[in-house]
Amino acid sequence: MTVSYTLEVANARFCGFSRLLFRWRGSIYRLLYKEFLVFSAVYLFFSVFYRFLLSPRQQDLFERVALYCFYVTLAFNRWWGQYTSFPLPDNLMMVVSGNVHGADDRGRLLRRTLMRYANLSSVLILRSISTRVHRRFPTMEHVVEAGFMTVHELKKFESLHSDFNKYWIPLTWFSNLASRAREEGRVRDDVALRLLMDELNNYRAKCSLLFHYDWISIPLVYTQVVTVAVYSYFAFCVIGRQFLNPEKGYVDHQLDMYVPVFTLLQFFFYVGWLKVGELIINPFGEDDDDFETNQLIDRNIQVSMLAVDNMYQNLAPVVKDKHWKQRHFSVPYTLSTAAESLRPTFKGSTFDMRMSAEDLEIHRPADAAGDKQYFPLQTNRINGVLQRDEGFLRGGSLPSLIEVLSHQRDEDEADEGDRDTNDHREQEQALIEHDNYPDF
């Protein structure tokens, strides 16, 4: 169940967030304490092992391994950043489908061409950074053959000279074509055109970020230091870790093991960790775990054309839903999730807010008619749970308090009405008596 603490941070105050640090339910302590204890124990073990059990040479190796672990973390962050920067046309195709109108051939042509330009740009940038995509489209003629570009567009593309990558040209075509669609009335207002341009710029920014990831690598000296440190160490281990004849009495060679188990484990872990960094530092290659860029290209062109063409104004009949005649209804649960329906619903962070008696007092300005009104509580119970404790009303909710006050006010008005009725009856009775017994 979701743990809400919104009410506790409703106002900025001294040590506002610090008070949240001592909560257990829903806290990071409850979630992480087991792993934290295990990590602390393992860290303590290696700390003692490093400080008291390793020789100076072994300590130097440990320090280089620790440095390398930071390098792999840096490579992993770079790998994840490249994945999140992959240009997906989903947002752009939704905006094109909803704002470039026309069920005729012209409207369909505009929508399909706009999305083709967007997909063409991603193909050009991936072709320049991914070996898989470059093998699929080794020349621009292959891009034309695949349908991402026409022959006339290729001629115009090649006629524009630039010393830099020209992946951005199709996006410029997109911008100009969207402006033409606005002039033709296919894009009905400037707000829709602005939305198209915003999504286009977001798409272009991701293409540009991929290009810069490919251009700016992790500094070469960093990669060289880590690689040389790992391989040079194991190059010396080939000789330095040999088991000598124990009969000759060499120091630290009392045992002869034919298989260097611990050295092999070190090689497996350290060189394997190095291969991990080598694998993820460029995920646009042809390794088993590299990004499936060709499949992403196929997916993007297919779903974008489906969204702006086949699905344009292709809606299911708008009919009354299943619960049309039911004012109050509930959505069924499966047996495995039925217990969730028994949990109390969240009604707002102030629903269980404690109120003092002064909070219930209504204050009127000095120039207003009447005095301050206070609705006293005639009962110590609201919804069966409200109790007065040291000037606070505990256990009751603010809506419950309002209901009680409204009920109390209705009772007061009813009593006042009864008093007015009784006074009126007394006046009528006095008039009747006066008529029957006139004064002489």
Side-chain angles (χ1 to χ4, degrees), residues 127-147:
R127 182 176 173 270
S128 63
I129 67 174
S130 173
T131 56
R132 287 184 178 182
V133 179
H134 191 81
R135 287 180 182 275
R136 184 180 181 181
F137 306 109
T139 64
M140 292 300 296
E141 284 73 18
H142 289 82
V143 177
V144 174
E145 181 66 24

Side-chain angles (χ1 to χ4, degrees), residues 80-92 118 121-122 125-126 129 167 171 198-214 284 300:
W80 182 250
Q82 291 178 89
Y83 175 75
T84 56
S85 300
F86 198 91
L88 297 175
D90 297 56
N91 292 345
L92 189 59
S121 181
S122 66
I125 189 61
L126 290 173
I129 67 174
Y167 69 90
L171 298 180
D198 289 343
E199 289 298 334
L200 174 67
N201 285 328
N202 292 335
Y203 189 83
R204 180 207 55 78
K206 289 195 171 184
C207 293
S208 176
L209 192 56
L210 279 184
F211 176 74
H212 285 87
Y213 267 121
D214 186 65
F284 292 102
N300 291 345

